[in-house]
Amino acid sequence: MKVKAQNQIQSCVVASSYGQNRQVENLRYIEDHRQIFDIENSYLLNSFEEFIGKQRKDKGGAIVCACNIEKDRRYPARFYYSCEFNLPNPAVKLLDLEEFLSFSRHIEGRPEVQIDRRLLEQFLATGLDPSKVHLVIFGIDARPELRHSRIKLSFHVRDYPEKMAIAIALCGEQRNWEKLIVNGNLLVAFDLFFDNRAAVEVYPTFYPADLQRPDVQAYLAEKLPARALQLLNESGAWLQIGISDENDSDVLYFNSVKSPNSFVDQLGNEMLKQVHAHYRNRVFEEVYIAIPESEFSASSIQRVKMYYQMNKFVNKMESR
């Protein structure tokens, strides 16, 4: 599948003193996370590390190290690469996308891996205007058995109603989208499972300025469980709501939590505390905490996802 741009822009390379060494830095964060959780070598993880090392030489981007907690089990072999944004030439994002597709084809070279790209192809069928794609994110979730693993491709689109409409239709959920999409931004994610399943998840986003709007406050007060709303207000976070027919519940993402240690302690999940203990005194850029909405009606919160963004984007560093 070749991605075509709706606006043809000549490709360029982002070069900087930061970007030239960024792939080494990103690989170091991955290796540190692997050592913390004693993550074994795997075909998917080793391939992802090769991908990061080869493709990131002349560009920046940020690494997120993550861990999925389900009751008394943890799945720490989860990593995300957020491609650089605010690029002088937006068409570079299409190169990032082509690199991901090449990576997915490489992974599919293993006989036990089957990837269904039809949903992604439907989204990309009419081309992609890179000037309306704010961010491209690649992710992996490496499980002990390769067939239970997946890769993930996400687009943060902005003021792109035609692509938002396609994504909403593909995610298979009926919602009051006018109240959910309040600022022209939508994160669209494609989960490509290795057992030939695929899913689309969309993430309406409420930034701090949105959370000050009376209409947004009224909507969230009606929609969110009281405890979730309290955590949102106390944490200083901004909010995303993950919506997909693959989920048994909407997932609430508390992003840029101001006091992660306090947030984790309030949840009262012992496995989560053990996981976060490894990062409690480490330096990282941002933390994002995801909790299924249904967990807030249970006696205790058993399912949590932790995302640690380890470094700044190069463009943010150069603009200081």
Side-chain angles (χ1 to χ4, degrees):
M1 175 174 51
K2 184 75 173 178
V3 182
K4 58 183 178 181
Q6 293 173 337
N7 296 336
Q8 293 295 330
I9 308 174
Q10 186 176 4
S11 299
C12 73
V13 175
V14 179
S16 73
S17 58
Y18 294 111
Q20 290 171 356
N21 296 313
R22 177 52 68 96
Q23 81 277 20
V24 176
E25 178 183 316
N26 287 337
L27 287 170
R28 176 170 57 82
Y29 286 128
I30 294 173
E31 181 58 30
D32 288 348
H33 188 79
R34 291 185 63 167
Q35 290 186 11
I36 287 171
F37 294 105
D38 194 24
I39 300 172
E40 296 181 354
N41 285 328
S42 70
Y43 174 68
L44 175 57
L45 183 50
N46 293 344
S47 297
F48 183 73
E49 289 181 322
E50 291 178 9
F51 171 77
I52 294 298
K54 288 180 180 178
Q55 303 295 346
R56 307 280 68 90
K57 184 174 182 179
D58 297 315
K59 290 188 287 182
I63 281 290
V64 173
C65 300
C67 186
N68 189 5
I69 296 153
E70 297 178 1
K71 297 183 179 180
D72 59 349
R73 302 193 67 179
R74 67 186 189 190
Y75 299 94
R78 295 165 57 91
F79 299 92
Y80 296 83
Y81 175 78
S82 298
C83 300
E84 200 67 27
F85 66 102
N86 290 337
L87 298 170
N89 187 340
V92 171
K93 296 169 189 174
L94 296 184
L95 300 181
D96 293 326
L97 176 55
E98 291 291 351
E99 289 167 359
F100 173 84
L101 295 174
S102 177
F103 170 73
S104 73
R105 288 188 289 269
H106 167 73
I107 294 297
E108 205 173 17
R110 290 285 290 264
E112 64 268 47
V113 176
Q114 293 182 310
I115 296 176
D116 183 354
R117 299 181 184 82
R118 286 176 295 178
L119 292 172
L120 177 59
E121 289 170 352
Q122 288 180 60
F123 182 76
L124 297 174
T126 57
L128 200 64
D129 182 349
S131 68
K132 296 180 180 179
V133 179
H134 178 62
L135 193 63
V136 179
I137 305 169
F138 310 150
I140 67 165
D141 180 0
R143 298 298 174 104
E145 289 191 52
L146 185 60
R147 63 188 179 89
H148 294 152
S149 301
R150 61 177 163 163
I151 55 179
K152 189 163 191 162
L153 174 63
S154 303
F155 304 89
H156 178 168
V157 298
R158 177 175 291 169
D159 299 325
Y160 207 168
E162 55 269 42
K163 287 299 180 187
M164 291 182 181
I166 294 172
I168 288 170
L170 292 174
C171 91
E173 290 287 309
Q174 298 295 323
R175 300 300 172 88
N176 189 341
W177 296 106
E178 289 185 0
K179 290 190 175 182
L180 282 165
I181 303 175
V182 299
N183 49 29
N185 290 270
L186 189 67
L187 183 66
V188 182
F190 295 85
D191 285 295
L192 306 178
F193 298 89
F194 289 180
D195 60 359
N196 208 32
R197 292 181 298 119
V200 179
E201 188 165 9
V202 297
Y203 304 78
T205 301
F206 300 88
Y207 292 114
D210 303 315
L211 295 173
Q212 299 303 312
R213 291 171 41 179
D215 60 325
V216 171
Q217 291 176 350
Y219 174 71
L220 294 179
E222 178 182 344
K223 173 178 172 46
L224 298 185
R227 189 181 179 193
L229 193 62
Q230 180 182 355
L231 282 171
L232 177 63
N233 292 333
E234 292 177 353
S235 66
W238 49 276
L239 178 71
Q240 287 180 312
I241 302 177
I243 300 172
S244 171
D245 61 2
E246 181 75 13
N247 298 335
D248 59 11
S249 164
D250 290 351
V251 182
L252 306 181
Y253 288 77
F254 301 86
N255 297 336
S256 301
V257 172
K258 291 193 182 332
S259 179
N261 297 343
S262 175
F263 193 106
V264 166
D265 292 342
Q266 286 186 66
L267 295 181
N269 181 302
E270 291 304 316
M271 177 59 73
L272 173 60
K273 289 180 181 179
Q274 292 175 29
V275 168
H276 183 62
H278 297 289
Y279 278 92
R280 187 174 285 266
N281 297 313
R282 291 171 64 88
V283 176
F284 49 83
E285 186 64 23
E286 303 275 5
V287 65
Y288 313 101
I289 303 173
I291 306 171
E293 188 176 317
S294 60
E295 291 291 301
F296 289 99
S297 60
S299 58
S300 62
I301 292 176
Q302 298 292 316
R303 294 182 293 166
V304 185
K305 297 176 183 178
M306 297 293 295
Y307 303 84
Y308 299 92
Q309 181 179 325
M310 301 308 300
N311 45 6
K312 291 179 181 289
F313 289 96
V314 166
N315 284 340
K316 280 192 174 182
M317 298 172 71
E318 293 179 329
S319 63
R320 290 182 301 181

